[in-house]
Each structure stands twice: as C-alpha cells, then as structure tokens.
Amino acid sequence: MQIGRPGTPVSHISQAYPDRVEVRGRDLTGDLMGRLSFTEYFHLLLTGREPTEDQRFFLDLLLVAIAEHGMMPTNVAARMTLAADPASLQGAVAAGVLGAGPVILGTSGECARLLASGRGAAEIARDFRTAGRRIPGFGHPVHKPLDPRAERILELADAHGVSGEHVRLARELRDAVAPLTMNVSLPIAAVLLDLGFPVAAADAVPILARTAGLLAHLAEESENPIGLRLAAAAEEAVEYRPPS
Amino acid sequence: MQIGRPGTPVSHISQAYPDRVEVRGRDLTGDLMGRLSFTEYFHLLLTGREPTEDQRFFLDLLLVAIAEHGMMPTNVAARMTLAADPASLQGAVAAGVLGAGPVILGTSGECARLLASGRGAAEIARDFRTAGRRIPGFGHPVHKPLDPRAERILELADAHGVSGEHVRLARELRDAVAPLTMNVSLPIAAVLLDLGFPVAAADAVPILARTAGLLAHLAEESENPIGLRLAAAAEEAVEYRPPS
Amino acid sequence: MQIGRPGTPVSHISQAYPDRVEVRGRDLTGDLMGRLSFTEYFHLLLTGREPTEDQRFFLDLLLVAIAEHGMMPTNVAARMTLAADPASLQGAVAAGVLGAGPVILGTSGECARLLASGRGAAEIARDFRTAGRRIPGFGHPVHKPLDPRAERILELADAHGVSGEHVRLARELRDAVAPLTMNVSLPIAAVLLDLGFPVAAADAVPILARTAGLLAHLAEESENPIGLRLAAAAEEAVEYRPPS
Amino acid sequence: MQIGRPGTPVSHISQAYPDRVEVRGRDLTGDLMGRLSFTEYFHLLLTGREPTEDQRFFLDLLLVAIAEHGMMPTNVAARMTLAADPASLQGAVAAGVLGAGPVILGTSGECARLLASGRGAAEIARDFRTAGRRIPGFGHPVHKPLDPRAERILELADAHGVSGEHVRLARELRDAVAPLTMNVSLPIAAVLLDLGFPVAAADAVPILARTAGLLAHLAEESENPIGLRLAAAAEEAVEYRPPS
C-alpha cells in the first residue's frame, strides 16, 4: 500500500559494504573516524558538508546550551520508565524524547520558521497578538527576567561576528514583545540560520542535545533508582474525586 | 504508590535557578558554554568529570564509529513514523531509538559486562558454547570477514597507547571464537573500559550516536519523503495466507 | 518548574486502596469485573458513564472496523522493533502506536472536529479547496471506489436508527467532494458524534483498536520472526547515491 | 541487510483488497463488523479462532481487571508527555505503554512462563529462594494482605468451572511463599493458561487493557491539563546536590 505521493527512492546519507562504510561520499573508517569530532560528524550527517570553524563552534555551543536543565519533565518521564523496565534503556530514552514536544523544548524549529518567514518584527508581533497566540521563543517558567542561556548565545554570536539578519530580527522581536523573557529557543534558531543551517537543524539540535541529558539521568537512575519515588510524588499531588 | 526499595531522593546532575543553570557544580553559561565541546559536555553529564584528552578523543571516535550505518532498521522505522505524522519529529526519533535493542546495536553494554566479569577468554567462550548462546560482540550480517570499524578502533587504541586489559581480553576472545567476525560492539566496550569509563557508558554511547544518524535520516525524509515507500516494499515482501 | 497555566489537581478516574479499587465511583472487583465487557468498561473509563445499548454496539463495531488492515506501516514498524529487542513487547507496541499519526489512521479526530465545527458541507469543501488542502476522511490508497468499512458503518447506523445530523453532514460532504472515496475515518467520527460521544473519543478509538492489531502481529512475530526481513526489503527499495 | 535467521515471509492475520478486507480468513465488513464484540475480535486476531463463551467471559474480565489502577506511573508519564505536545495523542500513549514493563504491570507473561514450566510449587519457590530473586506474581505496594482483583479472578474461575492445573499451581505457589500477597498477575496468567490461551496472551492482555486506561487519562488531561503539575511535584521531591 502506497499512501500519498512518494519521494524518489534515493538516500544520500550512507551505505554499508562488506569491507567498508561510506557516509556522505567519505570512507568512515579511513577518513572520518579519529579525524572528525562527534559534532563535526553530526554536521556532516545532517547537511552533507563538514562545518566551518564558526559552524562547529556554535553547533557545540548550542548543543551544550540545551542538553540539560535540571529535573525536567522529560527526565522525570524517562526515569520513571527505566524504573518500570530497568533492562530497556532505549525504551526509557524514547519515553523522554517523546516529551521533547513544542511546549517543553521543541520551539526552536518554530522559531526558525518564524525568523525565516520574511516578516518583520512588528508584523510578527501583531499577527500573534491578533490571533491571541503565544509567540514561540518567549516566556520561561524559571528564568526571569532574562534567560541566561539566551543572553550568552547572543553575546558569543556578536563576539564571533556571526550575528546577521536573523539575530537582528530576534532582537527586534524581543523589543516588540517586551517585557516577556526571550528564552533560549529564539537565539538558537537565529544563530543557526545566520550560520547557514537549514531550518531542519533547529528541529534536530534540541533533540540530540536533550538525548545526552537523558542518558546522564538514566545512568544516575540505574545507580540510584528514584523513578518510582518521582511517580509517587506526582501521584500524591492529585486528588481522586469520584462523581457525586 | 511506592513500588520497590527507593533510592535517595537526590540527583547530582543539574539545577535551574532564575538567573543561572548549574550543571555538575559548574555554571552552564559562564563556564561551560563556548568552552566544552558537546562530546566533552556529554562526558561531564554522564560521569561528573571533564574528560582527559584520551577520553575525549576516543569518545568522539566511538560516537562517530556507530552513529550511522546505512538504511538500518532503526532508520526505516523512524522514516515510516515521520511519514505517518510529519509534525512529530520527536515521535519519529523515539520510534527509531526503540529499535536500538540488543539485536541491532545494543550489544556494547552486554560486551562491557562480559569484559568486566572477571572471566578469561577461554572460560567465556566455553560458558556460551555450553549454554548454546551467541557471544555478544561477534557476527555481522554485512561485514565479513572483518568489521572495518572494529579493526580501526583497536588500531587507534594501540596507536594512542590506551589499550589495556580489556582490549587484550577482547582480542583473546576473538582468537577463542575464530573465525566469527568481531563486530564493532566489542572494541567499543573494551576501549571504554580501558579508559576508565563505567559500564553504563557502553550502554549510552550507541544510543546518543544513533540519535544523530536518525536525525539526519529524518531531515532527509522531510525533504524527500520515502517512508511510505519503504513500508510498501516491506509489505510486498510478505504473503498473506489465510487459515485453510 | 510549572510551565503554563495548570489545571485543578484532581482526577475523576480511579483510586487504589489497600483492599479495593474504585473506578468512576464504582467498586472494580465487586461491581465491574465480570459484569462489564471490556468495551463497556472502556466507555466508562473514557466518559464516566456506562454505555447505552446503541453506544455499546457501535463502539464495538467501530473498534472492530479499524483494529486491523493488513501489513500496515504501523505493524511493520512494530515487528521490526520487536525483532531488534524480542524482550520488550511494550517497546514494539509503542513504536507501532507512534505510527498511528494523522496520515495513517489518526484522521477520525480531525473528522470529528470538522463535523462539529458548525459549518455546512459546501462551506467545508470550499474552505479546503481554497486552502489547497486535503479534506480529512477522503481518499484511500487501496479501497476504490468505495471503502467497504465506511459503507458498512453507515448502513448499520441507518439500520439501528442512530444516524443523525453528523451522519447526514458526512454524506453531504461526500456528495460535495465526489468522486473521492470517503474512507472509514469520516463515518467513525459521524456515528460517534451522533451517539453523543465527545470529540476526544474519535481520537481514542483508533488507537485502542490498532493496539489490538499490533498485539496480534507481535504475537505472530514472536512465533515467526520476519521483522528483519521486512527491514531488508525496505532497505533494498532505496538506492544510496553519494554526492557527486 | 538480513540479521539473524529469518522466518517464512508469510502472515496469517489479514489483507486489504480494493473492495474488501479479509481477517483470519473472514470477511471484515460482511461477517465480523456488527457480529463480534471488540474482545471477541481481539481473540480472533490474537489466536486465529473465535472464543468460546468461557474464553470470552474471562478475556473481558481480565482486561477489565487491569485496565486502570489510579494515577499509576504509566498514566503520569503519559499525561506529562501530552502536556509537552498536546497535538500528539499517539506520542503520549506510546510514552505510557513504554512504562508497562516487568516492574509495573508486565509480570503476567513471566507468570505464565513460570506456570507452564512444568515445575511444581515447592521447586519453583526453592529455585527463586536459592537465586535470591523475587517470584513474579507476588508482592504489591498498595494491596495488603490481599489483592482484591486476584481473589475475585480466582473466585470467578471456580464459579465458572474453568479452574484447572494452572490455577491449582498458582494456589500452591501462594501457600509456598506465604505470607507474600499474591498479586493480580498470577491469576491472570493461570486462568489464561487453563482456558487454553497461548503464553503470548499473558503478555498482550495487560498492554491492551492498560492502553484503555491511558486513553481515559489522556482524554481527561486534554480537558484539565495537570501533566506539568505532576512533573513539578516530582521535581520538587528530589534535591540537587552538586559534587563537594
């Protein structure tokens, strides 16, 4: 059964042969292993090209910026899931990744689409105000009045001379919706676009980053299991009320 | 409801405060962002320590070695899932991660437990032969007679002078079960242990690595959707046979 | 960290006590077990009320209608995932459920929102035509010119006298967009709404139904493992083409 | 790439044709829809046969027995995941299903393998005592000294005359390990086996049942979002302690 219009049955990423693995046209063992860092390799995998020094620096920076942020809902869900099946690390990681939706940390992609939409800050702010919707990239439950990660990203973008039209638009947008806190998602999107990354990178970066945080929490969980204690605390916060 | 004996309700990983984020006792924005690479940060998250230069080099190497390996079942499952819900990148990644089980790429952890078990190569080989089970880290459907990634890892471990007792045991095990192909999972485990990583790292590394590959396939899938074509090819390979 | 405006910390579904379990105000062991069928219980869980005879009949009917439909992409993904980790049935089910997105079988909910939107058939058809989007509930890759499940549902709805304004709107919509095949999702939504179900039921019913199909495929897979054969067929359908 | 020894590329479950759907050799729309209840259809899907009246009665009973049990960890994880991405019901269900591992509710399958192992109660109890492991099917965090669901299942099995050798073994096992609480998983397994179900049914039944409970919680969550409140309560239960 073929549903919908299919793409061309071609992939440009990689192929395994009996005696070698080719990735993006390069030899994995002879050329890439030991030469590229994981971040450089992620860039190659995602875009087909090796990064420039600026692209490498900021890809590392952005991955570090959002990999970990305390006992986030994603970490709680993953730890509870590992507690329920200690033998399935991949199941626990999957449960955590599923929580990386738009509300929690998935807004970088939306921010990128916004910044790439061709509209100005005033127009964007007005469109969202008219629609009664929250602008992606603004507001944070903990960081007030500033998100220190957002500020640091912009500072380093300026220092490295990579701030361009998308960083400028991000700042104009901040002024247009002040005093809302600009959170980390908007600078991530802005810097990626100014460095020439595709919009898809702004969707992918938070997920790879957060997977690293999840794996750290799950390694800790396997040493010191608190997942069911987390679940018990959650349960106790809710009252059962039968129909009257 | 508390099920089982709980651990201490403490986590040593990170905490977000209104004006800063602390990770493993360090300040995220002031100290870590822009200084550590993503690989170094993953090491800090996972173990609580920054890596030595050897640890950094081999962590990058091993992540690169197994991030991508062609149109693997995990990539197929992820692409089919994105095709079914193009708006949920995290759902597609989760579906792919779920396929990172012991059969496909989850044997590094098993290999590490084997190499850390205190038994010698002859004893391990005999135990598995007696039990009629496959030894983890051996056999590969594509790479024959050698897995080029496995060979390259050992070569670089020797060149960097990090090969120790676990790499030696891995080689003894290879001799004991020849001519089976030693696959990439065994050297990953051996090198991690020789570099002082905990066994848990051998479970975590393949999952982080493969997430990078999944994200590349999903970015390509969103540009050129072939997920349902993959599903159709799979369906056509199976015949429905009603009860007679 | 509290993100967004929270609801009241109350749940009306169930509570376990040392000597009994209360569900929707009823005693699970003394009242429900052995009296209600699983379908009746699902109705009670979802809506807080036991179903009328018509609600019970059609809930069974609709669950049966969409539980299984051949070697669907969801079944392929689940079987491949079980092949990768035969010990994690729940992981394989989760991978399959993740594929139950809007493109494959998640359109009943969209159909319900459409039918409950207060617009007439001509207006709906015009709105979608103007927007250049596909109307949910129409088109099917296999069933042409009619989806036999859709026809049967409407036939039984008429025969049982439960067809109301939403079934009428579904038929008007079919006339408005002819000759597109009306697929099973639209009658599911229409009948549920005419029977007084909330819109949420049209989201939930396909997922419960498809879980039954997934479990059947996974039981067969554990007896006769073909998951990796499915993956191999999918892989062979795609050509790797390196950058030129 | 074909990994491992493949099964025969045949499935006996179903096939869709342009004008009909065949399931287990039967016509879906002409024969099954409107005739079989969802439970009867699940039996047909899983085993290839329609159930006897006893099989139908107890399959309904067992599904009802374990579909819902308060704000379980699986429900907490699912609600948190929906809160993070309200548009992906299937993602939230998947996150909940992933928590249905051996520790929380996946022991029915283990119990069935135990009861079908051919060993007597004394031997089983001794084997587990020697190995220092917990016997599946015993112990419950809430229900003490009796699990009312377990008692009710055995009571109804006796009343309907379906208790056979597996129910007898379950009771002998209870005596052998007294005063541990026999939980609901053991009678589920025993009754399924005495009714002629395959062991795989004891794995599948809890997952289908719990999916119904998850869908009820997620429908409630979409009306009254408390998922992030649950996550906040969990987070507050844990103290961050940096390295000293």
Side-chain angles (χ1 to χ4, degrees):
Chain A
M1 177 169 59
Q2 173 67 52
I3 302 165
R5 204 165 300 131
T8 318
V10 164
S11 173
H12 299 282
I13 300 176
S14 79
Q15 177 78 37
Y17 302 95
D19 61 343
R20 68 194 177 88
V21 181
E22 187 176 313
V23 180
R24 296 290 193 185
R26 291 152 175 85
D27 184 59
L28 172 61
T29 51
D31 180 14
L32 305 174
M33 282 170 61
R35 181 170 69 82
L36 296 194
S37 74
F38 181 51
T39 299
E40 291 166 330
Y41 189 54
F42 177 52
H43 190 286
L44 175 65
L45 284 170
L46 197 65
T47 70
R49 292 179 306 281
E50 297 184 27
T52 65
E53 177 51 26
D54 276 338
Q55 287 171 331
R56 200 276 311 152
F57 176 83
F58 280 95
L59 191 50
D60 269 322
L61 173 76
L62 301 179
L63 288 164
V64 169
I66 49 165
E68 177 54 26
H69 195 255
M71 196 58 78
M72 291 280 290
T74 46
N75 291 329
V76 172
R79 294 183 82 134
M80 286 167 42
T81 305
L82 191 70
D85 186 0
S88 177
L89 179 62
Q90 79 270 22
V93 171
V97 167
L98 286 171
V103 176
I104 302 288
L105 76 133
T107 45
S108 293
E110 283 182 68
C111 289
R113 280 176 281 276
L114 198 68
L115 295 173
S117 69
R119 287 177 292 168
E123 189 184 349
I124 291 172
R126 194 181 55 234
D127 288 355
F128 277 85
R129 212 172 289 131
T130 305
R133 291 177 46 220
R134 284 176 51 158
I135 306 187
F138 288 93
H140 197 280
V142 171
H143 296 308
K144 285 167 193 157
L146 296 175
D147 182 333
R149 303 165 297 169
E151 303 306 314
R152 183 69 176 144
I153 292 170
L154 293 186
E155 184 180 284
L156 287 166
D158 291 349
H160 284 249
V162 306
S163 299
E165 58 172 319
H166 299 96
V167 165
R168 199 186 60 243
L169 177 54
R171 283 183 161 126
E172 289 168 359
L173 205 48
R174 169 164 61 171
D175 294 343
V177 304
L180 269 178
T181 300
M182 177 181 68
N183 66 43
V184 70
S185 295
L186 194 65
I188 288 175
V191 168
L192 286 173
L193 292 178
D194 277 343
L195 284 163
F197 281 86
V199 166
D203 288 312
V205 162
I207 292 181
L208 183 64
R210 203 45 69 106
T211 301
L214 284 167
L215 288 165
H217 276 274
L218 293 169
E220 188 181 71
E221 176 72 21
S222 68
E223 289 293 311
N224 179 39
I226 60 171
L228 296 174
R229 195 187 270 269
L230 295 169
E235 184 191 0
E236 280 155 27
V238 184
E239 181 199 347
Y240 166 65
R241 204 174 290 166
S244 51
Chain B
M1 179 169 57
Q2 173 67 52
I3 301 166
R5 204 165 301 129
T8 318
V10 164
S11 174
H12 299 282
I13 301 176
S14 79
Q15 177 77 37
Y17 302 95
D19 61 344
R20 69 197 176 87
V21 180
E22 188 175 313
V23 179
R24 295 288 192 187
R26 291 154 175 85
D27 184 60
L28 172 61
T29 52
D31 181 12
L32 305 174
M33 282 170 61
R35 180 170 70 83
L36 296 194
S37 74
F38 181 51
T39 300
E40 292 165 329
Y41 189 54
F42 177 51
H43 190 284
L44 175 65
L45 285 171
L46 197 64
T47 70
R49 293 179 307 280
E50 297 184 27
T52 64
E53 176 51 25
D54 277 337
Q55 287 171 331
R56 200 275 313 153
F57 177 84
F58 281 95
L59 191 49
D60 269 322
L61 173 75
L62 302 178
L63 288 164
V64 169
I66 50 165
E68 177 54 26
H69 195 255
M71 196 59 78
M72 292 279 290
T74 46
N75 291 328
V76 172
R79 293 183 82 134
M80 285 166 43
T81 305
L82 191 71
D85 186 0
S88 177
L89 179 62
Q90 78 271 22
V93 171
V97 167
L98 286 170
V103 176
I104 303 288
L105 76 133
T107 45
S108 294
E110 283 181 69
C111 289
R113 280 176 281 276
L114 198 68
L115 295 174
S117 69
R119 287 177 290 169
E123 191 185 348
I124 292 172
R126 195 182 55 236
D127 288 355
F128 277 86
R129 212 173 289 131
T130 306
R133 291 176 46 219
R134 285 175 50 159
I135 306 186
F138 289 93
H140 197 280
V142 172
H143 297 307
K144 282 167 194 159
L146 296 175
D147 182 334
R149 302 164 299 169
E151 302 307 314
R152 182 68 175 145
I153 292 169
L154 293 186
E155 184 179 284
L156 287 166
D158 291 350
H160 285 250
V162 307
S163 299
E165 58 172 320
H166 300 95
V167 165
R168 199 188 60 242
L169 178 54
R171 282 182 163 128
E172 289 168 0
L173 205 48
R174 170 164 61 171
D175 294 343
V177 303
L180 269 178
T181 300
M182 178 182 67
N183 66 42
V184 70
S185 296
L186 194 65
I188 288 176
V191 169
L192 286 173
L193 292 178
D194 276 342
L195 284 163
F197 282 86
V199 166
D203 288 312
V205 162
I207 292 181
L208 183 64
R210 204 45 68 108
T211 302
L214 285 167
L215 288 165
H217 276 274
L218 293 169
E220 187 180 73
E221 175 72 23
S222 69
E223 289 293 311
N224 179 39
I226 60 172
L228 296 174
R229 194 188 272 268
L230 295 169
E235 184 190 0
E236 280 154 27
V238 183
E239 181 198 348
Y240 166 65
R241 203 174 293 165
S244 52
Chain C
M1 178 169 59
Q2 174 67 52
I3 302 165
R5 204 167 298 131
T8 318
V10 164
S11 173
H12 299 282
I13 300 176
S14 78
Q15 176 78 37
Y17 302 95
D19 62 343
R20 70 195 175 88
V21 181
E22 187 175 314
V23 179
R24 296 288 192 186
R26 290 152 175 87
D27 185 60
L28 173 62
T29 51
D31 180 13
L32 304 173
M33 283 169 60
R35 181 171 68 83
L36 295 194
S37 74
F38 182 50
T39 300
E40 291 165 330
Y41 189 54
F42 177 51
H43 189 286
L44 175 65
L45 284 170
L46 197 65
T47 69
R49 293 179 306 279
E50 297 183 28
T52 65
E53 177 50 27
D54 277 337
Q55 287 171 332
R56 200 276 311 153
F57 176 84
F58 280 95
L59 191 49
D60 269 322
L61 173 76
L62 301 179
L63 288 164
V64 169
I66 49 165
E68 177 54 26
H69 195 256
M71 196 58 79
M72 291 280 289
T74 46
N75 291 330
V76 172
R79 294 183 82 133
M80 285 167 41
T81 305
L82 191 71
D85 186 0
S88 178
L89 179 62
Q90 79 270 22
V93 171
V97 167
L98 286 170
V103 176
I104 302 288
L105 77 132
T107 45
S108 294
E110 284 182 68
C111 289
R113 280 177 280 276
L114 197 69
L115 295 174
S117 68
R119 288 177 291 168
E123 190 185 348
I124 291 172
R126 194 182 54 236
D127 288 355
F128 276 85
R129 210 172 291 129
T130 305
R133 291 177 46 222
R134 284 177 50 160
I135 306 186
F138 288 93
H140 197 280
V142 172
H143 297 308
K144 286 167 192 157
L146 296 175
D147 182 334
R149 303 164 299 169
E151 303 306 313
R152 182 69 175 144
I153 292 170
L154 293 185
E155 183 180 285
L156 286 165
D158 292 349
H160 284 250
V162 306
S163 299
E165 57 172 319
H166 299 96
V167 165
R168 198 187 60 242
L169 177 55
R171 283 183 163 126
E172 288 168 0
L173 205 49
R174 169 163 62 172
D175 294 344
V177 303
L180 270 178
T181 300
M182 178 181 68
N183 67 43
V184 70
S185 295
L186 194 65
I188 288 175
V191 168
L192 285 173
L193 292 178
D194 276 343
L195 283 163
F197 282 86
V199 165
D203 288 312
V205 162
I207 292 181
L208 183 64
R210 203 46 69 107
T211 301
L214 284 167
L215 288 165
H217 276 274
L218 293 168
E220 188 180 71
E221 176 73 22
S222 68
E223 289 294 311
N224 179 39
I226 59 171
L228 296 174
R229 195 188 271 269
L230 294 170
E235 184 191 359
E236 280 155 27
V238 184
E239 181 198 348
Y240 166 65
R241 203 174 292 165
S244 51
Chain D
M1 178 170 57
Q2 173 67 52
I3 302 165
R5 205 165 299 129
T8 318
V10 164
S11 174
H12 299 281
I13 301 176
S14 78
Q15 177 78 37
Y17 302 95
D19 61 343
R20 68 195 176 88
V21 181
E22 187 175 313
V23 179
R24 295 290 192 185
R26 291 153 175 84
D27 184 61
L28 172 62
T29 52
D31 180 14
L32 304 173
M33 283 169 61
R35 179 170 70 83
L36 295 195
S37 74
F38 182 51
T39 299
E40 291 165 330
Y41 189 54
F42 177 51
H43 190 284
L44 175 64
L45 285 170
L46 197 63
T47 69
R49 293 179 307 279
E50 297 184 28
T52 65
E53 176 50 24
D54 276 338
Q55 287 171 331
R56 199 277 310 154
F57 177 83
F58 280 96
L59 191 49
D60 270 322
L61 174 76
L62 301 178
L63 288 163
V64 169
I66 49 165
E68 177 54 26
H69 196 255
M71 195 59 77
M72 293 280 289
T74 46
N75 291 329
V76 172
R79 293 183 82 134
M80 284 166 43
T81 305
L82 191 71
D85 186 0
S88 177
L89 179 62
Q90 78 271 23
V93 171
V97 167
L98 286 170
V103 177
I104 302 288
L105 76 132
T107 45
S108 293
E110 283 181 69
C111 289
R113 280 177 280 275
L114 198 67
L115 295 173
S117 68
R119 288 177 291 168
E123 191 184 349
I124 291 172
R126 195 182 54 235
D127 289 355
F128 276 85
R129 211 172 290 132
T130 305
R133 291 176 46 218
R134 286 175 50 159
I135 306 187
F138 288 93
H140 198 281
V142 173
H143 297 307
K144 284 167 192 159
L146 296 175
D147 182 334
R149 302 164 299 170
E151 303 305 313
R152 182 68 175 145
I153 292 169
L154 293 186
E155 184 179 283
L156 287 166
D158 292 349
H160 284 250
V162 306
S163 298
E165 58 173 321
H166 299 96
V167 165
R168 198 187 61 241
L169 178 54
R171 283 183 162 126
E172 289 167 359
L173 205 48
R174 170 164 60 171
D175 294 343
V177 304
L180 270 177
T181 300
M182 178 183 67
N183 66 43
V184 70
S185 296
L186 194 65
I188 288 175
V191 169
L192 286 173
L193 292 177
D194 276 343
L195 283 162
F197 282 87
V199 166
D203 288 312
V205 162
I207 291 181
L208 183 64
R210 204 46 68 105
T211 302
L214 284 167
L215 288 164
H217 276 274
L218 293 168
E220 188 180 72
E221 176 72 22
S222 68
E223 289 293 311
N224 179 40
I226 61 171
L228 296 174
R229 195 187 270 269
L230 295 169
E235 184 191 1
E236 281 154 27
V238 184
E239 181 198 348
Y240 166 65
R241 203 174 292 166
S244 52

